[in-house]
Amino acid sequence: DVQLQASGGGLVQAGGSLRLSCAASGFKFDDYAVGWFRQAPGLGREGIACTSKKEDSTYYKESVAGRFAVYRDNAKRMVYLQMDSLKPEDTAVYYCAADKSRVEVATMCILGMDYWGKGTQVTVSS
């Protein structure tokens, strides 16, 4: 079974940093693009940072570009999201996801991916 387990969420003050981790199992990790999505209360889920299987193509939603960084360690089957300069509007449940399709990373990030993990809550206080 494909499994993705996100961790690292928590409560942080505005301007602070957090690093989310996602452990993958049950599939050939380095054949899949991976990404991070989030869902704030009352809003739909949005793709914020996605990267290709070899990290040669990366997409960031404009609202997080320059503050967040997605990277992966294929040997450890891990995906990370480094979040800096956090803002209260970054408060959401964050999910990691994976997809094997050949479409562009940006398209996958905007439309969604095939496999999802359970989310981790990030709360940014003002």
Side-chain angles (χ1 to χ4, degrees):
D1 290 351
V2 172
Q3 293 194 11
L4 296 159
Q5 182 62 57
S7 61
L11 174 64
V12 63
Q13 287 190 331
S17 297
L18 276 177
R19 189 182 78 158
L20 303 183
S21 300
C22 177
S25 62
F27 63 103
K28 195 173 187 300
F29 182 71
D30 52 6
D31 276 354
Y32 286 67
V34 291
W36 289 93
F37 296 71
R38 70 184 181 187
Q39 186 167 17
L43 299 177
R45 189 159 51 187
E46 60 177 0
I48 57 170
C50 300
T51 189
S52 60
K53 58 185 180 181
K54 294 183 179 179
E55 291 188 296
D56 52 1
S57 179
T58 302
Y59 165 87
Y60 291 98
K61 190 173 177 64
E62 186 175 352
S63 57
V64 307
R67 299 188 298 121
F68 291 10
V70 58
Y71 57 103
R72 62 191 294 167
D73 185 330
N74 284 349
K76 294 183 178 179
R77 304 171 62 85
M78 296 291 294
V79 188
Y80 303 97
L81 183 67
Q82 178 65 42
M83 305 187 293
D84 298 321
S85 303
L86 282 160
K87 304 175 181 180
E89 51 263 43
D90 294 319
T91 294
V93 178
Y94 284 70
Y95 302 85
C96 59
D99 196 298
K100 195 179 180 182
S101 69
R102 297 179 182 272
V103 300
E104 292 185 1
V105 168
T107 300
M108 282 192 272
C109 219
I110 292 168
L111 298 182
M113 292 187 168
D114 285 343
Y115 299 106
W116 298 88
K118 294 183 179 179
T120 184
Q121 175 72 46
V122 173
T123 303
V124 185
S125 63
S126 57

